[in-house]
Amino acid sequence: MKCRIGVAGCGRMGAPMLAALRRAGLPARGYDIRPLEPVYITDDIASFAEDLDTLITVVRDGNETDAVLFDQQNFTAIPGLKRIIISSTLSPRYVLGLRARVPSHITLIDAPMSGAQVAAERGTLSFMLGGDRAELDAVQPFLSAMGAHFHRMGPYGAGMQAKVLNNMLAASHTAMTRLVLDWADAAGLDERKLLDLIETSSGQNWLASGFDTIEFARDGHAADNSIGILVKDLASALDAAPDGADTALPDLLRAQIAKLTPRPR
């Protein structure tokens, strides 16, 4: 069977998402600019584009999305392409602006996801969706292969707006949980005992609950890791802040995340 679904960007999230599609028996292949080992991931643009009608983008940021859609890869020029599902976390302003840049015959759906690499590997991601109802119905089998929770937030762009707001909370959990654990070290408290306490108390949050499974829970900031991506996501949220909004708290949060150093394992 020729490939109909393509995942562009086969890194920490894209590769397990692609694997989930294939486990579900869906005809999917991946594209990445780096040569990767699985035979169903290629760095050859022509091979990836052959017979493709649905493109899922899982690249890092707006610049990489531009490269995939318009510049180096220019996948919007694929003759048979019918829809693009944007699963990267990007500025909602940028995502809305894509509609004027992508050919009108190609449907755009924004479907950013949450749950980190562990959920991608398990096929239990949460998707925040924006788009036409009929089109969302059409891609639901693909989403169901990769996720367990699906939130239809409204028209195209609404999913991304919801995602960056969600990630502001995830960033606050990350910053405060790490600060609490550092202070606990200084007080001589046992990390595991404190995390168990937090799990059943008012401080419970996503990062603390998944501290042993979330891949970046102990990381410091680096440009190419998930903490760096969280800083980028905060910038995306700030880019879409309401006119006149007080951004002092998210600005401070972004600075704190950028200062994180690795936590002992």
Side-chain angles (χ1 to χ4, degrees):
M1 178 186 295
K2 289 187 176 181
C3 176
R4 304 296 291 173
I5 307 166
V7 176
C10 295
R12 293 183 183 91
M13 299 297 289
M17 290 167 67
L18 174 60
L21 289 167
R22 292 178 64 86
R23 283 197 305 272
L26 293 166
R29 69 158 59 102
Y31 173 84
D32 201 276
I33 58 172
R34 308 160 297 165
L36 297 174
E37 186 172 325
V39 295
Y40 52 83
I41 299 176
T42 182
D43 62 348
D44 182 77
I45 292 173
S47 174
F48 176 74
E50 183 181 359
D51 203 36
L52 193 71
D53 68 8
T54 298
L55 175 67
I56 303 173
T57 65
V58 200
V59 294
R60 181 183 178 88
D61 54 26
N63 288 335
E64 292 189 6
T65 303
D66 276 353
V68 164
L69 298 183
F70 311 111
D71 300 331
Q72 288 92 330
Q73 287 82 55
N74 194 26
F75 288 141
T76 54
I78 296 172
L81 192 65
K82 296 179 180 177
R83 64 178 67 88
I84 298 171
I85 301 172
I86 301 167
S87 287
S88 307
T89 300
L90 306 168
S91 163
R93 294 184 191 275
Y94 169 86
V95 168
L96 288 172
L98 288 176
R99 183 62 282 173
R101 302 170 64 196
V102 171
S104 60
H105 69 274
I106 298 175
T107 295
L108 285 173
I109 294 170
D110 56 313
M113 67 285 181
S114 182
Q117 184 176 351
V118 61
E121 291 169 347
R122 295 171 177 170
T124 58
L125 289 166
S126 294
F127 283 93
M128 286 135 270
L129 305 167
D132 175 79
R133 179 177 178 178
E135 282 294 334
L136 292 178
D137 287 345
V139 302
Q140 188 60 51
F142 311 156
L143 300 174
S144 294
M146 301 180 288
H149 308 284
F150 312 98
H151 304 278
R152 297 189 179 190
M153 303 306 299
Y156 174 68
M160 198 64 66
Q161 183 65 69
K163 175 62 193 300
V164 298
L165 293 175
N166 175 79
N167 276 23
M168 285 180 65
L169 282 179
S172 69
H173 299 162
T174 299
M176 287 304 300
T177 299
R178 291 286 295 273
L179 178 66
V180 163
L181 292 176
D182 288 346
W183 285 22
D185 290 344
L189 292 178
D190 178 84
E191 176 187 278
R192 175 40 51 197
K193 289 181 179 179
L194 181 59
L195 287 170
D196 289 345
L197 163 66
I198 292 169
E199 177 64 18
T200 60
S201 303
S202 57
Q204 189 275 333
N205 67 79
W206 173 74
L207 188 83
S209 295
F211 206 77
D212 294 327
T213 56
I214 295 170
E215 72 277 5
F216 63 83
R218 297 181 182 274
D219 286 353
H221 175 268
D224 61 349
N225 71 3
S226 294
I227 297 295
I229 290 173
L230 201 54
V231 173
K232 180 267 299 181
D233 291 352
L234 282 165
S236 294
L238 286 163
D239 186 55
D243 292 341
D246 182 354
T247 63
L249 186 56
D251 281 330
L252 176 60
L253 178 59
R254 186 183 180 203
Q256 291 300 115
I257 294 289
K259 292 193 296 185
L260 283 179
T261 57
R263 181 167 175 79
R265 296 184 182 275

